[in-house]
Amino acid sequence: MSELRLFEFLRLNFLPDLERSADQFERFDCTSQSAKLHVELKCRRSHYETLLIEKKKFDALIAASTQLQFSPCYINSTPQGIFGFNLSKIEPSWQTELMPATTDFANTDKVEKVVGFLSVADAVNLSGAINF
């Protein structure tokens, strides 16, 4: 699933006023004014029982949401479903991992990143009866 398809799924089924961020470098991907949500989207090609979030992304999403009194939301699609996390109610345990510097697969440089893992058991499953 692509981020655009995930965005359209959310807008069609849950958040009709969902709007994409105007700036591609914004700390969140979309916003719902009516639900007061800042949403970060992530699409994964494999399913994991725990889903990774970078601490820098987590902190920035919390800060931006707090400033506007919105809720920070992290939504991941995997081949087994769509999982939503209210980040204001979750504090991952953080660890440092050696990870790719960017998502650009041509760049194979590794850097240390502080990351946390979110259990899909703590998520709201948004996928319902959709086939993946």
Side-chain angles (χ1 to χ4, degrees):
M1 175 177 281
S2 69
E3 270 191 24
L4 179 58
R5 186 165 170 228
L6 177 56
F7 170 82
E8 291 169 352
F9 167 81
L10 295 170
R11 189 174 57 187
L12 179 66
N13 293 285
F14 298 102
L15 302 163
D17 71 325
L18 194 63
E19 293 183 14
R20 293 184 65 83
S21 298
D23 181 356
Q24 74 178 29
F25 299 107
E26 189 67 70
R27 294 297 191 166
F28 49 90
D29 292 314
C30 42
T31 300
S32 168
Q33 294 291 328
S34 66
K36 292 189 172 237
L37 292 175
H38 279 318
V39 181
E40 174 67 18
L41 303 174
K42 194 62 138 178
C43 298
R44 308 222 182 255
R45 286 186 227 117
S46 299
H47 179 78
Y48 304 95
E49 290 303 313
T50 57
L51 300 170
L52 179 140
I53 187 168
E54 288 186 46
K55 184 156 183 13
K56 287 191 325 188
K57 178 63 78 173
F58 180 93
D59 290 345
L61 192 55
I62 295 285
S65 299
T66 301
Q67 182 178 1
L68 294 175
Q69 297 182 330
F70 277 38
S71 292
C73 185
Y74 188 54
I75 298 178
N76 283 247
S77 70
T78 79
Q80 292 186 23
I82 299 172
F83 304 94
F85 300 89
N86 180 341
L87 297 181
S88 64
K89 296 182 178 184
I90 296 173
E91 180 64 38
S93 55
W94 302 105
Q95 59 194 55
T96 302
E97 297 280 337
L98 200 56
M99 313 269 311
T102 67
T103 55
D104 176 8
F105 294 105
N107 180 354
T108 58
D109 294 339
K110 302 260 184 182
V111 297
E112 286 188 346
K113 294 183 180 182
V114 179
V115 297
F117 295 91
L118 305 170
S119 173
V120 295
D122 296 329
V124 174
N125 188 337
L126 302 170
S127 49
I130 296 191
N131 289 329
F132 288 91

